């Protein structure tokens, strides 16, 4: 059905032409599910956009052939391309928050493809839209039909996107990281939905993701890409169990695993460096100056203690209050009830997004000297020396000190972020999703670095994450939060083998962990 | 492939450079005294001795353009300095702290914004000119310095608005939170951490503000409330020339052309910098 031969994509909008995809080959049958994996910059999204004709024709040069049902897509007219788009080929994007038009109703957006590609009457279109919404397993489709995107949650919006994509019954569905912006439990539901659509309607799916475990769950064949080249392709089983190429092996090795048994360590004799007792936070929102005031409780009595040298994992999905808790601990949120016990200035934070947490207009050296300048009492050379020492500690070259954040890769920036947090020699490091914005191989390196620094400096780390597998690797104790409350706590062993709360089970299942040791077979 | 040439930047730099050359030369050397009248030369045409001709009092127009451009530039710089300086302060505080102070200040700014800046400047001038604000008038003297203050105040709202909206955006960034956790004071965060980050927006705004200031000064002087005779300014000269527009078109042509080139130069420079 789809045949891509020797596709090259070259950009021409910058000073130098830049090739982003080299000799991309792919063939898909009716009802196939193919996964394309690779890290950022590997060209996976570019290849997919080329297939569905969304790449600008002006600023880039494309060579090769894309045959869809015998038709050449690269050279066909725009009109012919539009006939296919939304009808035979549909696409789902990563970000459900921006991929829907905020001022149109859900029904209108789902029907749009029908208005363009069919001669249906209004009533027929309505029926078809309701059918699609039902297929996408949206509860109460008649109500959703009249709602606007902002009234729906992220997961529901992604279902609406899927409904809009399947409304014309496409033969090929291209899904570009459709679950990346979603919580783990919802990710699992979306994957199940895609599987169902494939089974029932024989829709072929081209699934683009950086998440190898999702690809493994969903796809039959995998294409591994790196720097624009296809490194390896084959059946899922073959790639995962018997990878041939070095890069594939490295990718698979960086999936955090829960296989090795982990010894429980007892920290109760160590000094408590951070304690939280019965923390309550609520937000007040009102509509306009005279609107009704609403109170929303974000944290409802959270207590924990963090000991010297301990890594405490805080796991929960978006909206559970874990970031609010981090803000309370580091002092960014002063409006809370309860007690936080820690020495002044002993807590520092590492942020999720290394792109926005470093001042883009200052050099790395300047940024890292800042804590020393504020503390005072350091001469210029002393500050410089300390920065260079810290760069070495976080395994960066000393030249980095004179660069700007935009000149660094994501992994390097996160290392700078960690180094910056450690400049004032804190006892506690609060890490808010420090690896979730990074590629898997980089994730593994950063986790290793955190582990090393913890041992060298006797740090205690509060590690906030939504990824149970990452937490298992790094943490000594785990807290699981839901709706502002701690629902379960214990050592990784205990949580993974003998959890009590059903929500923990749900999280474990979504992460592909039934019990410890079975992750490999799952 | 060769990098695309930034023509805006090149032409803008050349034009602005030429204008600055004219003005700076005027500081040290003028072909004639700008205020000496010579009735015999009244409305003399273009000649090698008087390349731009002479005006109704027989003064050399080229000399007066040189002096006038200097005055205009000075007024424009002063205006933008006052407007941007106060605008940055107001915008930074309101945008960074928010709350009810922000609401109140911004509503006042909105109200000011509703008047054309020339009208606002007129109000300020009339207050200063009548000596009601005696001290300030005394400090500033009269003439061009009054215009600077008047236009400067009128320019504050546009800068304050731009700066405030940028601060609103930047204060939510993680690097600002990071600075707070490190223990930075508010002033340090506002002016050391955030200010450099709004430069990409601020610089073009200053450039456009500069152009508006040149035009406003010309407009004010044209109306007769800006630079007072016998001081030369480009707007003043235009205003004097309009009476003789048909008998002596070159008198209006050259000051007008200078304004156009000055504004065009800075506009292109601003565009060019933005493109970079």
């Amino acid at each position: 059905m789809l045949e891509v031969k020797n596709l090259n994509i070259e950009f021409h909008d910058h000073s130098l032409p830049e090739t982003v995809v080299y000799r991309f080959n792919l063939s898909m049958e009716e009802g196939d599910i193919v996964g394309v994996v690779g890290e950022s910059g590997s060209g996976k999204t570019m290849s997919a956009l080329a297939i569905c004709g969304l790449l600008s024709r002006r600023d880039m040069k494309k060579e090769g052939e894309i045959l869809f049902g015998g038709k050449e897509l690269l050279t066909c007219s725009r009109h012919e391309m539009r006939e296919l788009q939304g009808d035979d080929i549909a696409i789902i994007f990563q970000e459900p928050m921006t991929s829907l038009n905020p001022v149109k109703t859900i029904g209108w957006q789902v029907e749009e493809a029908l208005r363009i590609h069919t001669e249906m009457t209004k009533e027929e279109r309505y029926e078809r839209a309701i059918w699609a919404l039902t297929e996408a397993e949206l509860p109460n489709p008649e109500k959703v039909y009249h709602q606007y995107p902002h009234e729906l949650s992220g997961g529901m919006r992604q279902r609406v996107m899927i409904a809009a994509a399947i409304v014309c019954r496409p033969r090929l569905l291209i899904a570009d990281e459709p679950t990346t912006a979603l919580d783990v439990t919802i990710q699992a539901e979306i994957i199940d939905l895609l599987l169902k659509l494939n089974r029932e309607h024989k829709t072929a799916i081209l699934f683009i993701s950086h998440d190898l475990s999702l690809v493994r769950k969903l796809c039959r064949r995998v294409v591994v890409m790196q720097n624009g080249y296809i490194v390896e392709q084959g059946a899922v089983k073959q790639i995962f169990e018997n990878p041939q190429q070095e890069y594939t092996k490295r990718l698979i090795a960086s999936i955090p695993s829960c296989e090795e048994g982990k010894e429980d360590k007892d920290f109760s004799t160590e000094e408590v460096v951070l304690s939280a007792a019965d923390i309550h936070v609520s937000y007040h929102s009102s509509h306009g100056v005279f609107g009704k005031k609403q109170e929303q409780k974000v944290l409802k009595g959270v207590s924990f203690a963090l000991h010297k040298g301990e890594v405490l994992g805080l796991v929960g999905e978006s909206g559970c209050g874990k970031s609010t808790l981090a803000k309370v601990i580091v002092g960014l949120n002063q409006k809370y009830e309860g007690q936080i016990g820690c020495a002044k200035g002993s807590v520092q934070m590492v942020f999720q997004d290394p792109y926005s947490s470093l001042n883009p207009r200052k050099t790395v050296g300047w940024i890292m000297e800042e804590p020393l300048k504020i503390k005072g009492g350091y001469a210029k050379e002393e500050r410089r020396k300390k920065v260079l020492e810290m760069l070495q500690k976080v395994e960066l070259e000393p030249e980095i000190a004179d660069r700007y954040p935009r000149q660094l890769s994501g992994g390097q920036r996160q290392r700078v972020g960690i180094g910056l947090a450690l400049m004032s020699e804190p006892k506690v490091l609060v890490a808010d999703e420090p690896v979730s914005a990074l590629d898997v191989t980089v994730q593994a390196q950063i986790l290793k670095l955190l582990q090393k620094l913890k041992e060298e400096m006797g740090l205690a780390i509060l590690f906030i994450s939504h990824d149970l597998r990452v937490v298992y690797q790094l943490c000594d104790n785990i807290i699981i939060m839901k709706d502002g409350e701690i629902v379960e706590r214990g050592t990784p062993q205990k949580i993974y083998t003998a959890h009590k709360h059903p929500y923990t089970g749900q999280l474990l299942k979504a992460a592909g962990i039934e019990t410890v040791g079975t992750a490999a077979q799952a | 492939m060769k990098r695309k040439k930034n023509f805006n930047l090149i032409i803008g730099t050349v034009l602005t450079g030429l204008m600055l050359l004219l003005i700076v030369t005027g500081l040290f050397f003028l072909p004639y005294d700008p205020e000496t009248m010579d009735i015999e030369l009244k409305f003399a045409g273009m000649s090698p001795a008087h390349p731009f001709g002479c005006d109704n009092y027989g003064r050399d127009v080229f000399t007066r353009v040189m002096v006038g451009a200097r005055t205009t530039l000075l007024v424009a710089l002063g205006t933008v300095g006052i407007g941007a300086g106060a605008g940055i302060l107001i915008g930074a505080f309101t945008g960074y702290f928010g709350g009810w102070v922000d609401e109140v200040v911004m509503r006042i700014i909105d109200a000011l914004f509703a008047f054309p800046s020339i009208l606002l400047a007129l109000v300020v001038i009339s207050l200063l000119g009548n000596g009601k604000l005696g001290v300030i008038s005394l400090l500033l003297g009269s003439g061009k310095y009054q215009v600077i203050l008047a236009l400067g105040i009128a320019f504050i709202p546009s800068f304050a608005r731009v700066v405030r909206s940028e601060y609103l955006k930047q204060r939510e960034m993680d690097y600002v939170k990071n600075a707070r956790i490190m223990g930075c004071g508010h002033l340090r965060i506002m002016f050391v951490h955030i200010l450099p980050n709004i430069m990409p927006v601020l610089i073009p705004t200053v450039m456009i503000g500069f152009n508006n200031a040149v035009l406003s000064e010309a407009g004010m002087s044209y109306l007769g409330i800006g630079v007072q005779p016998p001081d030369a300014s480009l707007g003043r000269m235009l205003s004097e020339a309009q009476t003789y527009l048909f008998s002596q078109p070159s008198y209006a042509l050259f000051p007008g052309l200078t304004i156009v080139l000055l504004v065009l130069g800075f506009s292109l420079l601003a565009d060019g910098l933005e493109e970079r």
Side-chain angles (χ1 to χ4, degrees):
Chain A
M1 177 188 65
L2 176 73
E3 186 81 44
V4 183
K5 286 182 199 154
N6 279 325
L7 177 69
N8 281 318
I9 302 176
E10 209 172 87
F11 274 102
H12 280 283
D13 55 346
H14 288 291
S15 44
L16 288 168
E18 192 185 348
T19 310
V20 287
V21 176
Y22 301 91
R23 296 194 295 280
F24 184 83
N25 284 293
L26 179 74
S27 70
M28 280 178 84
E29 303 299 317
E30 211 77 43
D32 222 350
I33 311 185
V34 176
V36 181
V37 290
E39 306 193 321
S40 42
S42 62
K44 53 188 196 301
T45 298
M46 282 300 147
S47 319
L49 291 179
I51 293 169
C52 56
L54 280 181
L55 287 182
S56 146
R57 293 191 171 203
R58 214 172 21 164
D59 293 334
M60 44 184 64
K61 211 167 98 194
K62 284 161 287 188
E63 286 164 338
E65 280 175 54
I66 302 176
L67 293 165
F68 181 80
K71 187 180 235 166
E72 168 57 70
L73 297 190
L74 276 183
T75 52
C76 74
S77 70
R78 277 169 201 241
H79 181 74
E80 283 176 298
M81 193 70 221
R82 271 201 293 272
E83 298 260 284
L84 286 175
Q85 284 168 341
D87 194 5
D88 279 338
I89 303 177
I91 185 160
I92 316 168
F93 295 102
Q94 172 176 357
E95 191 52 75
M97 299 295 160
T98 53
S99 48
L100 290 170
N101 188 337
V103 298
K104 300 283 188 189
T105 61
I106 298 300
W108 191 92
Q109 303 191 46
V110 173
E111 281 180 9
E112 181 69 357
L114 298 174
R115 266 191 292 272
I116 296 163
H117 295 292
T118 66
E119 310 271 302
M120 286 188 185
T121 62
K122 212 175 155 198
E123 290 72 30
E124 284 170 325
R125 282 204 305 265
Y126 176 79
E127 241 168 69
R128 191 66 174 271
I130 295 293
W131 168 83
L133 291 169
T134 319
E135 275 298 297
E137 293 172 1
L138 276 151
N140 205 348
E142 286 84 5
K143 188 177 159 218
V144 171
Y145 183 91
H146 294 288
Q147 280 178 315
Y148 287 90
H150 70 264
E151 297 173 85
L152 306 179
S153 70
M156 284 172 82
R157 287 185 217 199
Q158 203 56 297
R159 285 173 190 277
V160 169
M161 274 305 287
I162 292 175
I166 61 169
V167 76
C168 283
R169 304 207 183 187
R171 290 156 68 197
L172 173 64
L173 182 63
I174 296 173
D176 186 6
E177 306 253 7
T179 60
T180 308
L182 305 172
D183 279 328
V184 271
T185 51
I186 296 163
Q187 274 185 14
E189 289 170 14
I190 297 285
I191 295 293
D192 287 341
L193 173 62
L194 289 176
L195 273 173
K196 188 196 88 175
L197 292 174
N198 172 263
R199 210 171 40 236
E200 290 178 5
H201 305 294
K202 291 270 166 286
T203 313
I205 299 176
L206 183 62
F207 184 78
I208 298 153
S209 179
H210 67 275
D211 193 330
L212 287 161
S213 47
L214 288 180
V215 169
R216 187 177 195 175
K217 206 169 151 191
L218 178 71
C219 303
R220 289 176 207 141
R221 285 192 300 128
V222 197
V223 177
V224 182
M225 288 188 79
Q226 185 194 17
N227 300 332
Y229 288 97
I230 292 183
V231 178
E232 194 166 358
Q233 61 177 318
V236 164
K237 208 169 141 76
Q238 178 206 332
I239 296 275
F240 276 84
E241 285 169 13
N242 190 15
Q244 297 299 314
Q245 300 295 321
E246 208 43 53
Y247 180 70
T248 319
K249 284 180 194 163
R250 214 168 68 219
L251 265 186
I252 293 169
S254 6
I255 308 175
S257 77
C258 313
E259 285 175 63
E260 78 262 48
K262 226 177 145 174
E263 277 174 43
D264 293 352
K265 280 187 251 172
D266 187 19
F267 286 94
S268 54
T269 54
E270 295 281 349
E271 175 198 359
V272 174
V273 284
L274 172 71
S275 66
D278 205 24
I279 304 293
H280 286 265
V281 173
S282 32
Y283 287 133
H284 298 272
S285 57
S286 59
H287 299 282
V289 183
F290 304 105
K292 213 164 53 178
K293 286 230 162 73
Q294 282 179 327
E295 193 191 23
Q296 199 191 351
K297 285 186 177 156
V298 187
L299 291 177
K300 306 166 194 163
V302 173
S303 311
F304 67 88
L306 182 60
H307 303 86
K308 191 171 181 235
E310 181 183 355
V311 183
L312 180 63
L314 180 59
V315 184
E317 301 193 318
S318 53
C320 76
K322 55 190 199 299
S323 287
T324 307
L325 184 61
K327 277 187 195 163
V328 168
I329 292 167
V330 297
L332 285 175
N333 186 343
Q334 309 271 6
K335 288 178 195 151
Y336 65 93
E337 290 163 45
Q339 288 285 316
I340 294 283
C342 67
K344 197 172 180 294
S346 68
V347 182
Q348 285 295 333
M349 185 158 173
V350 178
F351 290 82
Q352 170 177 5
D353 182 3
Y355 292 85
S356 77
S357 64
L358 302 174
N359 193 332
R361 289 255 147 183
K362 305 283 185 185
T363 62
V364 168
W366 189 95
I367 294 171
M368 288 179 71
E369 278 182 31
E370 189 69 356
L372 302 177
K373 274 188 220 153
I374 292 159
K375 215 165 147 196
Y378 294 95
K380 207 177 162 197
E381 297 76 36
E382 242 177 301
R383 289 202 303 259
R384 180 81 185 177
K385 204 177 129 232
K386 284 206 163 237
V387 165
L388 294 181
E389 280 171 17
M390 185 53 77
L391 282 176
Q392 201 181 2
K393 260 190 193 160
V394 295
E395 295 161 6
L396 287 173
E397 305 291 315
E399 295 93 77
I400 298 268
D402 298 317
R403 304 229 180 108
Y404 287 91
R406 63 167 185 275
Q407 296 167 304
L408 307 181
S409 70
Q412 284 174 322
R413 285 184 218 206
Q414 200 56 301
R415 282 169 195 270
V416 171
I418 293 169
L420 171 63
L422 294 178
M423 279 311 278
S424 54
E425 291 163 15
K427 287 182 180 156
V428 182
L429 203 58
V430 176
D432 189 1
E433 303 258 13
V435 296
S436 59
L438 305 172
D439 282 327
V440 268
T441 51
V442 183
Q443 265 186 21
Q445 292 162 9
I446 296 286
L447 291 175
K448 221 190 251 168
L449 175 72
L450 279 174
Q451 187 82 32
K452 187 195 96 176
L453 290 172
K454 179 201 91 175
E455 277 154 24
E456 273 177 14
M457 305 176 76
L459 277 174
I461 301 178
L462 180 65
F463 189 87
I464 300 171
S465 178
H466 67 275
D467 192 336
L468 272 168
R469 286 166 307 178
V470 169
V471 170
Y472 180 89
Q473 275 203 325
L474 188 70
C475 300
D476 304 306
N477 277 301
I478 296 176
I479 289 176
I480 293 185
M481 265 178 84
K482 187 176 195 287
D483 300 333
E485 282 171 303
I486 293 178
V487 293
E488 185 135 10
R489 60 176 88 205
T491 60
Q493 281 292 358
K494 207 177 119 202
I495 297 255
Y496 288 70
T497 52
H499 57 265
K500 294 191 188 73
H501 199 278
Y503 180 66
T504 315
Q506 230 178 311
L507 278 180
L508 287 169
K509 194 167 165 245
I513 309 163
E514 299 293 340
T515 46
V516 176
T518 57
Q521 288 100 52
Chain B
M1 207 166 82
K2 251 174 92 183
R3 202 192 156 103
K4 243 191 257 171
K5 278 212 171 117
N6 192 337
F7 283 111
N8 283 346
L9 192 66
I10 297 168
I11 299 173
T13 314
V14 169
L15 278 182
T16 311
L18 273 178
M19 284 297 138
L20 285 180
L21 188 72
L22 189 77
I23 290 161
V24 172
T25 315
L27 286 176
F28 306 104
F29 169 76
L30 289 170
Y32 299 93
D33 185 276
E35 280 159 32
T36 305
M37 301 176 196
D38 186 343
I39 207 69
E40 279 178 28
L41 285 170
K42 183 177 177 184
F43 292 137
M46 290 177 269
S47 66
H50 300 281
F52 290 0
C54 292
D55 69 2
N56 51 330
Y57 296 113
R59 297 174 296 195
D60 180 47
V61 173
F62 183 65
T63 310
R64 287 183 66 80
V65 164
M66 283 171 86
V67 177
R70 186 209 302 167
T71 313
T72 301
L73 188 76
L74 195 74
V75 171
L77 284 180
T79 303
V80 171
I82 293 173
I88 287 170
L89 278 179
I90 294 172
F93 275 92
T94 52
Y96 182 77
F97 288 111
W100 66 269
V101 178
D102 172 42
E103 283 291 323
V104 172
V105 174
M106 285 327 283
R107 289 301 82 79
I108 295 172
I109 295 274
D110 281 348
L112 286 179
F113 217 59
F115 298 99
S117 51
I118 292 239
L119 212 60
L120 266 183
L122 274 177
V123 172
V124 178
I125 288 272
S126 58
L127 286 177
L128 293 175
N130 291 343
K132 279 181 188 149
L133 302 167
V135 187
I136 303 176
S137 311
L138 216 69
L139 275 176
L140 292 169
S142 58
K144 53 190 165 195
Y145 304 110
Q146 238 179 28
V147 176
I148 292 176
L149 186 69
L151 280 176
I153 291 171
F155 272 55
I156 293 173
S158 57
F159 285 103
R161 274 212 166 170
V162 171
V163 173
R164 173 179 172 271
S165 73
E166 280 302 300
Y167 267 81
L168 274 177
K169 233 187 287 168
Q170 296 287 337
R171 74 168 182 196
E172 299 301 329
M173 301 283 278
D174 280 345
Y175 77 88
V176 175
K177 291 182 197 157
N178 216 346
R180 267 173 72 191
I181 296 171
M182 286 189 293
C184 288
H186 290 306
L187 284 178
R188 189 174 174 85
I189 292 179
M190 275 157 69
F191 296 111
V192 179
H193 287 259
I194 299 183
L195 191 59
N197 282 292
I198 71 166
M199 282 303 165
V201 180
L202 195 58
I203 290 172
T205 315
V206 166
M207 289 295 195
I208 294 164
F210 181 84
N211 280 340
N212 288 340
V214 170
L215 294 175
S216 299
E217 185 277 328
M220 299 267 291
S221 300
Y222 180 84
L223 291 174
I225 46 174
V227 174
Q228 297 302 315
D231 280 346
S233 95
L234 296 176
R236 178 88 237 147
M237 292 171 73
L238 266 187
S239 137
E240 283 164 5
Q242 76 162 348
T243 328
Y244 315 105
L245 196 58
F246 292 102
S247 57
Q248 189 68 12
S250 67
Y251 183 19
L253 181 70
F254 290 107
L257 210 57
T258 314
I259 293 177
V260 169
L261 291 181
L262 197 62
V263 171
L264 188 67
F266 271 94
S267 299
L268 291 177
L269 197 62
D271 284 350
L273 286 176
E274 220 170 333
E275 252 174 57
R276 216 160 39 129

